Amino acid sequence: MTQPAALTGVALRGPRPLPLLGAKGNFLRFFSDPIGQSLRLHRDYGEVCSLTDGDLSVLCLFGPAYNQQVLSDRNLFHHNDKAFFPVPETARQLLSGLTSMNGELHRRQRKLMMPPFQKGRVEGYRDDMVALTERALSRWTPGRTIDVSGEMTELTLQIALRCLFGIEDERQAHDLGHLGMDFLEGLTSPAVMMLPRALPGTPYARFVRTANALHARLLELIRHKRTLPEGRDVLSMLLRAHDEDGAALTDEELLGQASVIYVAGHETTSHTLSWTLFLLSQHPRVLADLEDELSGTLRGAAPSVEQLSRLPLLDAVVKESMRLLPATPLLFVRFATDGFQLGPLALPKGTGVMLSPFITHRTPDLYPEPDRFLPERWQHLQPSLYEYLPFGAGPRMCLGATFAAQEVRLVLATLLQRFRLSLAPEARVSCQVRGITLGPRHGLPMRVGGRDTPHPPSVRVRGDIPRIVRLES
């Protein structure tokens, strides 16, 4: 148990240790329900608390001031470069991307990876994003009930693996994408953490098989692409990137970065799309106004990159969706490389801290009626980088932010001009943090209607979502 170097009359509180399991049990409990636990910790203990009363090894910090202190100082607060449990070598290599790097290594490799994600390059993916969206929507039939979460997952898989990895085969993209999702889920699974032994039939054994398979598939892809002429996809550009000293990325380095690219380019985007379509279905007045904006500006066509800047309500709807249900609700543990001051607390080297965009985005002083979906708030709202951080902030801000922002707006603008979605009466809408992202636990069953379908009456939403989002009745 880590003790503070000094405390100036302030008691840092937290939940009691769980019987038998102690602080480890509280850690596992947090990861089993990060949203519920974050809300409870903030409610019961305030802006600064410990995961376990009396154990200061990992602290939860809530609010913009702490976000800025931690995220703006990459020298003091290092990202965790190790898993929270023993992992096989293949998993270690998959985790060796930007998110696990610190110091000069992080600076150098981030600089190498930035050019493919610059605005001009990302705009060049507009046609692929639209074509894949139109192909997916061509399979939708009015009158059917579909799992919108599953549909958005498949669509963003195809877009990510086409634009980021140059994979055009739909089946190959599906298989590789779902292998990556299973790997991320295993990384934060309490069942995997509890018994990290590869015994037959255990969750850990399944995690090892998944890590081995994903490692082999990505390494095969990298080696194959080295034999091809340079393509337009991000991985092709990274294969040929050099730093100022002429050094290029090795296959192992590319393997770790490919995992980061996958997360930045796919799962967060699919959840943002799913939550936005759900929220619009529950706020028909906002949806009707957005449909009018889209049809008035685009007249049924997919938007150009330039037209995206002339859709202010679409922009506000996406921003508000990411505020209310951020696809990445937590910024996991960073560790202090030296002693530091946290308000009146003097804390030692090695202290771990966790941040929560989810809680920050519900600060009433910043966002009045924070649990309501109110896109109109963005007409005048200009939060700082540390008050609104769906993509993180500071030197470690997500490289894929521009890519994801363009993709979400293109997909929504294309989809909403063709179909009107309504929540299925039997739907159960609950939140689940899988890996590092916040998505619907039970999928998102929605009925597909044409644009001429009347807005259906609201149905009572079952599940836990009404506990964290106040829906229109």
Side-chain angles (χ1 to χ4, degrees):
M1 182 173 72
T2 303
Q3 296 295 339
L7 294 174
T8 58
V10 177
L12 191 55
R13 299 284 310 283
R16 292 181 179 179
L18 287 179
L20 301 180
L21 295 175
K24 181 180 180 181
N26 282 15
F27 190 82
L28 295 173
R29 180 170 60 181
F30 182 89
F31 277 97
S32 69
D33 180 20
I35 295 300
Q37 291 296 318
S38 295
L39 286 167
R40 282 188 283 274
L41 289 170
H42 185 241
R43 179 196 65 206
D44 295 343
Y45 303 105
E47 292 188 343
V48 181
C49 65
S50 174
L51 278 184
T52 301
D53 199 38
D55 183 347
L56 303 182
S57 56
V58 178
L59 310 181
C60 292
L61 311 181
F62 301 114
Y66 297 116
N67 296 338
Q68 183 169 2
Q69 180 177 355
V70 173
L71 297 178
S72 64
D73 194 339
R74 64 179 171 188
N75 294 321
L76 178 58
F77 295 100
H78 275 194
H79 198 283
N80 179 32
D81 61 356
K82 298 180 178 63
F84 291 113
F85 58 95
V87 299
E89 177 63 15
T90 52
R92 187 197 65 77
Q93 291 185 18
L94 289 167
L95 294 171
S96 63
L98 275 183
T99 55
S100 66
M101 292 178 177
N102 295 294
E104 178 59 22
L105 179 62
H106 177 268
R107 186 204 65 79
R108 183 181 73 84
Q109 296 226 353
R110 184 179 175 91
K111 187 175 180 180
L112 276 173
M113 292 183 67
M114 285 178 67
F117 292 100
Q118 291 173 345
K119 188 173 184 290
R121 290 280 193 178
V122 169
E123 289 176 350
Y125 295 124
R126 180 267 178 195
D127 291 351
D128 282 333
M129 290 176 176
V130 169
L132 290 169
T133 300
E134 291 178 337
R135 184 177 76 181
L137 296 180
S138 70
R139 301 168 184 161
W140 290 19
T141 304
R144 289 183 55 218
T145 296
I146 62 172
D147 175 13
V148 166
S149 178
E151 292 286 333
M152 292 301 101
T153 294
E154 290 302 320
L155 172 56
T156 57
L157 271 175
Q158 299 298 325
I159 291 174
L161 295 178
R162 167 82 66 88
C163 299
L164 303 180
F165 293 165
I167 297 175
E168 298 195 13
D169 181 83
E170 193 170 351
R171 184 74 253 172
Q172 184 183 6
H174 172 92
D175 293 345
L176 181 58
H178 283 274
L179 198 59
M181 286 193 293
D182 290 343
F183 174 74
L184 288 172
E185 184 175 16
L187 277 176
T188 54
S189 165
V192 172
M193 295 181 192
M194 280 288 290
L195 184 63
R197 300 287 184 274
L199 303 174
T202 62
Y204 185 83
R206 290 193 295 273
F207 171 71
V208 170
R209 288 196 300 272
T210 299
N212 292 344
L214 181 60
H215 182 279
R217 290 286 298 276
L218 286 176
L219 194 58
E220 178 186 17
L221 174 64
I222 291 166
R223 289 172 176 170
H224 175 65
K225 291 191 78 66
R226 285 197 185 278
T227 68
L228 302 177
E230 183 173 1
R232 295 173 51 250
D233 60 279
V234 170
L235 183 56
S236 290
M237 286 184 267
L238 291 179
L239 282 166
R240 291 158 180 82
H242 295 79
D243 64 15
E244 55 268 25
D245 297 322
L249 295 167
T250 66
D251 283 359
E252 181 174 318
E253 287 173 330
L254 282 165
L255 192 67
Q257 305 305 358
S259 301
V260 173
I261 291 170
Y262 165 78
V263 176
H266 154 55
E267 198 168 23
T268 53
T269 309
S270 70
H271 291 332
T272 296
L273 285 165
S274 298
W275 289 129
T276 305
L277 291 168
F278 164 73
L279 290 167
L280 286 171
S281 76
Q282 299 303 300
H283 297 81
R285 288 171 293 178
V286 176
L287 175 58
D289 289 344
L290 179 55
E291 289 172 341
D292 288 344
E293 177 181 87
L294 295 173
S295 60
T297 302
L298 305 177
R299 305 196 180 282
S304 65
V305 171
E306 186 274 331
Q307 284 174 317
L308 287 177
S309 65
R310 293 192 275 119
L311 299 168
L313 182 54
L314 175 64
D315 185 63
V317 162
V318 173
K319 286 179 178 175
E320 181 70 349
S321 173
M322 292 194 297
R323 181 196 69 81
L324 198 56
L325 293 166
T328 307
L330 300 166
L331 302 178
F332 287 128
V333 183
R334 283 146 167 90
F335 291 97
T337 60
D338 201 351
F340 67 103
Q341 197 75 22
L342 192 71
L345 298 174
L347 296 164
K349 175 180 179 180
T351 300
V353 296
M354 281 196 291
L355 307 173
S356 174
F358 182 86
I359 298 296
T360 299
H361 291 178
R362 289 162 183 270
T363 304
D365 291 345
L366 297 173
Y367 306 102
E369 299 185 272
D371 57 350
R372 291 190 62 198
F373 179 68
L374 299 172
E376 60 267 27
R377 75 171 83 237
W378 292 93
Q379 293 175 5
H380 307 290
L381 188 64
Q382 292 185 318
S384 74
L385 292 174
Y386 301 101
E387 294 169 341
Y388 179 70
L389 56 168
F391 297 106
R396 305 189 78 102
M397 184 175 175
C398 176
L399 273 177
T402 301
F403 184 96
Q406 175 175 293
E407 180 182 358
V408 166
R409 287 159 177 79
L410 286 172
V411 171
L412 288 172
T414 305
L415 187 161
L416 292 172
Q417 291 185 92
R418 300 189 185 185
F419 300 104
R420 183 170 289 160
L421 299 173
S422 57
L423 192 66
E426 71 278 8
R428 184 177 181 83
V429 185
S430 297
C431 294
Q432 177 184 32
V433 177
R434 181 183 182 189
I436 61 171
T437 61
L438 175 67
R441 181 183 296 275
H442 308 292
L444 195 58
M446 302 188 82
R447 190 168 182 81
V448 179
R451 274 295 305 273
D452 57 351
T453 303
H455 286 282
S458 298
V459 300
R460 179 176 175 271
V461 179
R462 299 182 300 157
D464 67 20
I465 197 73
R467 292 190 300 169
I468 59 175
V469 178
R470 194 186 342 158
L471 301 171
E472 289 192 358
S473 56

